[in-house]
């Protein structure tokens, strides 16, 4: 992701301890959801942005279940995208939605993704992208992504 929410010190701390990283993700996600529910967009952005960045770190460094880490990534990314939309930044909303979807497709293409139950994740991600592109009146930009997603699902998720 292009923007950073975590400082270098926190990033290093969280990479050193899987348990602390998971605990912080849970705490920040709860705080982000609460701020989002209260329509407190800037605090929500901070918490959800930290969660999204942390989920990227967890995908790269933890020994936890890949599927659980992908779920964390998707949940925090979709919340962050919606929060950016509420703040009027549709470019960052699109960036988050595409980052999540790209990560899912990247996993489907990888040996680690073989056999993972990702169909529902990909379908939800496509729905979020479709909603975004429909609102922007740019549905034609989504067709290649939809075809590639369906092709990967057919070949990797039986």
């Amino acid at each position: 992701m292009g923007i950073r929410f975590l400082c270098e010190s926190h990033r290093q701390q969280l990479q050193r301890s899987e348990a602390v990283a998971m605990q912080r993700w849970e705490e920040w996600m709860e705080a982000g959801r609460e701020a989002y529910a209260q329509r407190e967009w800037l605090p929500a952005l901070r918490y959800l942005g930290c969660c999204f960045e942390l989920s990227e770190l967890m995908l790269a460094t933890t020994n936890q279940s890949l599927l659980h880490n992908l779920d964390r990534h998707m949940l925090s990314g979709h919340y962050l995208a919606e929060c950016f939309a509420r703040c009027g930044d549709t470019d960052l909303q699109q960036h988050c939605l595409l980052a999540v979807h790209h990560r899912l497709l990247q996993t489907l293409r990888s040996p680690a993704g073989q056999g993972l139950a990702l169909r529902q994740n990909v379908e939800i991600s496509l729905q979020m992208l479709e909603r975004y592109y429909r609102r922007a009146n740019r549905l034609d930009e989504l067709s290649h992504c939809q075809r590639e997603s369906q092709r990967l699902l057919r070949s990797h998720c039986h």
Side-chain angles (χ1 to χ4, degrees), residues 81-92:
E82 288 301 303
C83 201
F84 278 130
R86 302 285 188 216
C87 292
D89 196 329
T90 56
D91 289 340
L92 287 174

Side-chain angles (χ1 to χ4, degrees), residues 5-6 25 28 45-55 80:
F5 291 90
L6 297 170
W25 188 91
W28 294 341
L45 275 175
R46 289 185 196 111
Y47 284 115
L48 297 169
C50 286
C51 282
F52 188 59
E53 189 174 341
L54 180 53
S55 72
L80 182 58

Side-chain angles (χ1 to χ4, degrees), residues 17-61:
S17 173
E18 232 174 87
V20 171
M22 287 190 306
Q23 182 180 352
R24 291 296 171 268
W25 188 91
E26 294 290 337
E27 291 169 0
W28 294 341
M29 193 65 203
E30 180 61 32
R33 283 191 289 224
E34 180 63 29
Y36 184 94
Q38 298 298 320
R39 297 176 180 260
E40 296 171 357
W41 307 125
L42 291 179
L45 275 175
R46 289 185 196 111
Y47 284 115
L48 297 169
C50 286
C51 282
F52 188 59
E53 189 174 341
L54 180 53
S55 72
E56 290 176 331
L57 292 174
M58 292 168 75
L59 279 166
T61 61

Side-chain angles (χ1 to χ4, degrees), residues 69-107:
N69 283 336
L70 283 168
D71 286 344
R72 285 184 190 98
H73 184 69
M74 191 169 132
L75 181 63
S76 56
H78 284 168
Y79 259 101
L80 182 58
E82 288 301 303
C83 201
F84 278 130
R86 302 285 188 216
C87 292
D89 196 329
T90 56
D91 289 340
L92 287 174
Q93 176 191 17
Q94 178 188 23
H95 175 80
C96 291
L97 293 172
L98 289 172
V100 167
H101 199 73
H102 174 74
R103 176 65 77 156
L104 291 170
L105 297 186
Q106 180 183 32
T107 302

Side-chain angles (χ1 to χ4, degrees), residues 102 104-114 148 151-152 156:
H102 174 74
L104 291 170
L105 297 186
Q106 180 183 32
T107 302
L108 273 176
R109 290 183 188 105
S110 75
Q114 299 298 313
E148 179 63 8
R151 184 190 71 75
L152 285 169
H156 296 291

